[in-house]
Amino acid sequence: MSLLSQLFFLILLGVSAFFIGRRILQIRKNILLGKEEDRTDQPQRRLKTMLLVAFGQKKMFKRPIAAFLHLLIYVGFLLINLEVLEIVLDGLFGTHRLFAPLLGSFYPVLINFFEFLVVGVIFSCVVFLIRRHVLKISRFTKIEMKGWPTMDATLILVIELVLMVAILAMNGADQVLQTKAVAGYPVTGAFFFSSIFIPLFEPLSANTLIIIERVAWWGHIAGIFAFAYYITYSKHLHIFLAFPNTYFSNLKEKGEIKNMDNVTNEVKSMLGLPADPPPAEIPRFGAKDINDLSWKHLMDAYACTECGRCTDSCPANTTGKVLSPRTIMMKTRDRAEEVGESIRKGGAGLEDGKSLYGDYINKEELLACTTCNACVEACPITIDPLSIIIEMRRYMAMEESSTPQSWNAMFQNVETSFAPWKFPPTDRFNWAQDVKAKISDQ
Amino acid sequence: MSDFNIQIPTVAELTAKGEKPDVLFWVGCAGSFDDRYKKVTKAFVKILDKVGVKFAVLGEEETCTGDPARRAGNEFLFQMQAMANIQVLNGYEITKIVTACPHCFNTLKNEYPALGGDYEVVHHSTYLQELIDQGKVTAKEGDFKGKKITFHDSCYLGRANNIYEAPRKVLEILDAELVEMKRCKTNGLCCGAGGAQMFKEPENGKKDINIERTEEALDTGAEIIASGCPFCMTMMSDGVKNKEKEGQVVVKDLAELIAEAEDLI
Ligand code: SF4
Ligand code: SF4
């Protein structure tokens, strides 16, 4: 029996690892559809940013209640993995509670600690479900959240709840089995929270309890594998990508818009200045599709948790314009997934007649942005929706020449009068005459 | 020339005399042409003159930094402007620039270096704060006593460049009551004009952004909305007008408030 279950466990582990690994490679490929961008300078500052923002959850604390609940789930997630390690080893070696004899009296302390975390996670998941479905917090019910995104969020919370309840049921049955001195269930001492199941389990026969314990055990571990695979399709990918995403985040002042070096070369040669290297054939100005964006833009899109803090603070969105920075991120990811999937199947990929700009994100959205950086500031994992917006505006202005008439007039003024308004450049210094005149009148 | 109390030399004039300014005052397009913002330019010049700093302006040689062009996506136009300006600035060996416009400030400070223009760039809020710290600028007591002032953070000063304290420090010497809006500092709400929005109609929505922001400012009960940006000034003034509150509430730049407190206006 044990050997059979060991074999079965090995197969389950192998199959899970295969599918999860395949998805990870696919996501990596999709992200690498983006252009190169160097984000390897200042490694120490990067590491510090990652530790503070991803590991330390620094930016979450702008909203303390959500931050606290999220922290419970996050710490639970990190630490309960230690128990998962025991479960995996037990599965492979056909043992039961492998760590118990090794850790001695410390073992129940550890398990009790995990149970506290489990209850913390359950509490947070329940509150989160209430916030989404009963209180209907506005950022969770915006138009871009209709359908799958809300379903995804709900599913994750429910799965986490089930996994946590499975741990408690498993420990509860285990304790009763211990008191009944069933072989293979070493005495570990009492567990704090799962003992609530004891009155429920006490009257049951040892066989039934073993079944319950085993079902909970297998359910828990198989659930974790399924969950791990599922999150590669979900916004919950952020639990992994938040780390590299903060490490590679933009360290420059938010106000700086990245220089287009290929344009610099063209402008220099137009002005007769030495340009290095000589202007090469430029495939495209700005971004029409995901391959015109950088890999970091695409990593941003995969890391986005759809929390909507960006959209919530966006002046355009909050005053009713169609722009939502969260939608920009979601659409970018959708497009990257679509293209990646098509390439994987040997399909048209980027040449499918569609593009991010136009088919996913429209002009009206892009034009509404005030470049205020509120979205960038708000994002708990340093995602930069503004930078994608600017790249697509560049495409509009330089490739399509489809900027609004009033902007074209502004361009014209800058070009001919050297100011965005149509004033004669010779009047530029007139204000000084005013000051002088006024004072001389006194 | 001796009729004039204030000397406003251009860099070209100084160069002709074989001199260099310690600091270049970058006036900006709004500061040069916009009737309302010209008053801010003049107020700031009066302060510079009073503290005796050796400053100069570019005068007719100044042109748009290119900020709105870049943000509207026209990188070519931006770079043409930037390179022309950098040639002028480098030609005069300018090292330090002060400006009252956060958009000019941001572009000169953060975006010109990639094109060969490296200067020490200061926004006038920081500059004023330094003058206050050095005791060179003081305020006459009483002018603003008991008045409520609220400061509207400009995105390009605040979030874009992390300057939140300097403007507040400047307002502190006014002996007024500084009140904060619901959304301030890192959470500040845009006036609606950045990113070249100043130069086109807003997209359709429930409301214009400047109206939303003005409502927040009015909610504080302040009589003075202080700003440090020409775009914010325009948007907030329009908002106050829209709410028919011109009688009770004024929008003023930091430099104007200081000049007033110093009896320079
Ligand atoms: S930068 Fe643009 S998208 Fe981001 S919050 Fe401001 S207006 Fe919205
Ligand atoms: S971009 Fe950041 S703030 Fe916006 S939804 Fe995604 S994770 Fe949240």
Side-chain angles (χ1 to χ4, degrees), chain A residues 310 313-316 323 325 368-376 386 389:
Chain A
C310 52
S313 58
C314 172
L323 170 63
C369 174
T370 71
T371 71
C372 72
N373 266 302
C375 52
V376 186
L386 172 56
I389 295 173

Side-chain angles (χ1 to χ4, degrees), chain A residues 304-310 326 329 379-381 383 385:
Chain A
C304 173
T305 69
E306 299 170 14
C307 70
R309 291 173 184 227
C310 52
R326 168 169 58 186
M329 301 320 299
C379 181
I381 48 175
I383 286 170

Side-chain angles (χ1 to χ4, degrees), chain B residues 23-248:
Chain B
V23 47
L24 170 79
F25 173 31
W26 184 276
V27 182
C29 300
S32 307
F33 294 116
D34 180 83
D35 281 336
R36 175 68 188 86
Y37 222 65
K38 276 196 249 177
K39 294 191 178 137
V40 177
T41 306
K42 291 172 204 166
F44 189 58
V45 160
K46 286 174 189 169
I47 298 170
L48 290 177
D49 176 72
K50 168 148 191 275
V51 298
V53 56
K54 188 170 181 189
F55 76 98
V57 296
L58 281 172
E60 285 177 24
E61 283 188 277
E62 190 185 288
T63 77
C64 174
T65 60
D67 157 89
R70 172 168 260 192
R71 275 144 192 86
N74 194 336
E75 181 78 1
F76 272 101
L77 183 54
F78 163 74
Q79 291 201 13
M80 295 290 278
Q81 281 304 116
M83 279 194 221
N85 283 322
I86 289 169
Q87 277 187 332
V88 172
L89 292 168
N90 288 356
Y92 286 129
E93 295 173 11
I94 295 297
T95 51
K96 182 167 179 173
I97 302 175
V98 62
T99 177
C101 174
H103 295 267
C104 296
F105 164 70
N106 176 68
T107 306
L108 292 167
K109 172 174 167 281
N110 297 324
E111 296 180 351
Y112 276 29
L115 297 166
D118 276 293
Y119 322 101
E120 182 194 347
V121 190
V122 207
H123 183 251
H124 78 326
S125 57
T126 310
Y127 197 75
L128 288 171
Q129 189 221 317
E130 281 165 10
L131 291 176
I132 290 168
D133 289 349
Q134 293 161 6
K136 290 186 184 157
V137 163
T138 49
K140 208 168 33 76
E141 252 176 64
D143 270 6
F144 293 90
K145 201 163 183 74
K147 289 209 170 145
K148 272 191 186 170
I149 301 186
T150 188
F151 179 68
H152 162 71
D153 285 284
S154 144
C155 306
Y156 273 82
L157 202 57
R159 276 188 300 267
N161 287 288
N162 280 306
I163 298 175
Y164 299 106
E165 289 314 315
R168 289 177 169 79
K169 287 262 167 61
V170 171
L171 292 172
E172 265 169 28
I173 69 157
L174 294 181
D175 194 25
E177 187 191 345
L178 194 56
V179 285
E180 293 290 357
M181 290 184 235
K182 198 172 75 201
R183 282 179 271 191
C184 62
K185 300 185 185 168
T186 53
N187 296 327
L189 178 69
C190 178
C191 70
Q197 299 296 342
M198 186 76 185
F199 307 101
K200 72 166 180 50
E201 286 301 313
E203 324 314 308
N204 283 332
K206 296 191 298 253
K207 204 192 252 185
D208 284 346
I209 296 169
N210 67 324
I211 302 298
E212 171 107 350
R213 187 51 164 171
T214 307
E215 285 168 0
E216 285 191 355
L218 296 178
D219 280 347
T220 62
E223 297 146 79
I224 300 171
I225 301 172
S227 82
C229 170
F231 291 178
C232 299
M233 164 79 74
T234 304
M235 298 309 264
M236 298 306 279
S237 305
D238 286 354
V240 170
K241 239 176 258 158
N242 181 285
K243 294 274 161 195
E244 296 177 354
K245 285 279 193 285
E246 310 99 294
Q248 296 108 288

Side-chain angles (χ1 to χ4, degrees), chain A residues 86-97:
Chain A
E86 186 189 37
I87 293 180
V88 170
L89 294 177
D90 277 344
L92 286 173
F93 300 139
T95 49
H96 184 69
R97 296 198 182 261

